[in-house]
Structures are given as C-alpha cells and as structure tokens.
Amino acid sequence: MTTGYTETVNKLIEELAKLPGIGHKTAERLAFHILKSPPASAMALANAINDVKTKIRQCKICYNFSEADVCRICSDNRRNKAVICVVEQPKDVIMLEKTGQCKWVYHVLGGHIAPLDGVEPADLTIDKLVERVKAGGVDSAGSPRVEEVVMATNPNMLGDGTALYISSLLKPTGVKITRLARGLATGTALEYASERMLTDAIISRQPLE
Ligand SMILES: [Zn+2]
C-alpha cells in the first residue's frame, strides 16, 4: 500500500497508521505534514513522545500516571485519603477531577476483568487495592484508615463485574463500598459522560450490594 515512498517515509506512515482512529490516508497526510514542517517543530513532536515514555511512570500508591514516585493527588495533604475512588483508566481520573467534586484519592485498575480477552484479576492492580485498604491508609505516618471505597468503573457489564469482584474481596475488611449513581446511562463509558452527569453520579452515590 505504501509503495512509491522511500523506506523511511513508509516506516513513518506505518507507525502513524497504528494510532487509534488513524487510517492509512490520514497517516499519509500526517507523514507529509511532518516532512514539510520545520525541523524544530517535527523534533518537538518526537521529543514529546520520547518524554512521555521516559518520564511518565505509575504512581506507586494509586497507579495513575505520574512524573514522580507518588503522584500529585496522592501527595496532596488536602485530599481525604480515607476515601478511595476506583477507576479503570487514568483518563477516568481526569474526567472525575474536571467536576471539581472530588476530594478523595484514586486507585487506577488498569482496565477491567475480561476473561474472554484474557484479562484476569491478576492483570489489574486489584491486589494492590486490597492491600491498600487493609493497610488502612497510604503512608505509615498516621494517615487515616480507609473508610469508603467508591467504585467508578464503567457502567457496563465488564465494569460492573469488576466492581462486584473487588467488592467481594473488600467485604471482609468492613470498609464501606459505594458505586457512582446510575445517572450515567448503563453501557456507556465514564470518559464520554458530561461533567454535569458525573457530578450527579458522584453526589448521589449508592452502597454497592
Ligand atoms: Zn497516586
């Protein structure tokens, strides 16, 4: 499909075409845009990609993206560390934070349990969450015991299944387990919810049975 271009250009088109939502035609257009751009702007893109892959790691407490061992949210002392909100992906943290309603901390699972796709509980950070709740806080310096775990997995079959599985593991700890309210249409993903919908879902969260 990419015959006619040099090997180097082909390689760039191939790599761009791997990005989500980018078809071959768009990849070609982007490749030519990069070829035509001044070296400094093309290198800025290359460096930005390099930086996210070398500087960004996972927070060792919540597993969100972070530039330090502990992310900004986990190291913020104004946050209520007794409430942990469990989400599937880092982008869900961003969506929830946009509402301005969240004073809690997070736990990023890294996906949902999906046996048909080969995603087992051990592939997610579920064991780390259970440890975190059992340890009664995030640090040894007198941080409060975890009082509530808010399940904010996506309101669809896999998200619900994951929340129920986690809740069964957490039940013996006696922690209160809640779920974002169902103002969110069932079957949608958190990332597509409006701020208004999310705010309602946060405020009227319900116990998870
Ligand atoms: Zn963190």
Side-chain angles (χ1 to χ4, degrees):
M1 245 166 124
T2 44
T3 47
Y5 301 127
T6 73
E7 202 181 314
T8 312
V9 177
N10 276 342
K11 180 75 192 143
L12 179 59
I13 294 171
E14 241 171 66
E15 291 303 320
L16 289 168
K18 288 179 190 166
L19 297 171
I22 306 286
H24 186 80
K25 278 264 168 275
T26 309
E28 270 185 333
R29 213 168 54 234
L30 291 172
F32 279 99
H33 173 80
I34 292 167
L35 274 171
K36 281 187 299 182
S37 14
S41 97
M43 289 320 288
L45 172 64
N47 291 335
I49 294 172
N50 186 55
D51 283 354
V52 291
K53 296 317 287 181
T54 53
K55 292 186 186 164
I56 304 290
R57 59 192 113 163
Q58 284 182 316
C59 167
K60 65 178 185 184
I61 297 170
C62 72
Y63 296 88
N64 195 3
F65 290 140
S66 175
E67 298 210 11
D69 278 352
V70 175
C71 75
R72 273 197 310 201
I73 293 177
C74 287
S75 43
D76 182 350
N77 286 327
R78 290 162 305 178
R79 293 276 173 161
N80 179 4
K81 290 173 184 165
V83 183
I84 300 176
C85 177
V86 178
V87 296
E88 295 184 20
Q89 303 289 349
K91 59 189 166 193
D92 299 332
V93 173
I94 294 168
M95 290 299 301
L96 288 164
E97 285 295 298
K98 273 189 192 160
T99 65
Q101 296 293 322
C102 307
K103 300 287 169 263
W104 53 39
V105 289
Y106 293 90
H107 192 91
V108 179
L109 296 171
H112 47 237
I113 303 168
L116 292 179
D117 297 324
V119 185
E120 303 290 339
D123 299 317
L124 308 172
T125 61
I126 293 174
D127 51 340
K128 302 287 190 299
L129 172 65
V130 176
E131 275 170 32
R132 211 177 145 186
V133 172
K134 281 185 179 161
V138 292
D139 55 35
S140 53
S143 69
R145 191 183 174 281
V146 179
E147 288 162 8
E148 179 181 354
V149 173
V150 184
M151 294 295 172
T153 49
N154 287 324
N156 53 34
M157 230 169 66
L158 294 173
D160 285 345
T162 305
L164 284 173
Y165 176 82
I166 294 172
S167 138
S168 71
L169 293 181
L170 288 178
K171 218 152 241 170
T173 66
V175 69
K176 180 173 156 198
I177 304 165
T178 57
R179 178 104 179 73
L180 291 193
R182 291 306 183 142
L184 298 168
T186 302
T188 55
L190 216 63
E191 60 182 296
Y192 303 120
S194 71
E195 277 172 41
R196 180 72 230 159
M197 269 160 69
L198 275 179
T199 301
D200 289 346
I202 291 164
I203 293 169
S204 44
R205 59 187 191 269
Q206 317 252 318
L208 180 75
E209 302 301 341

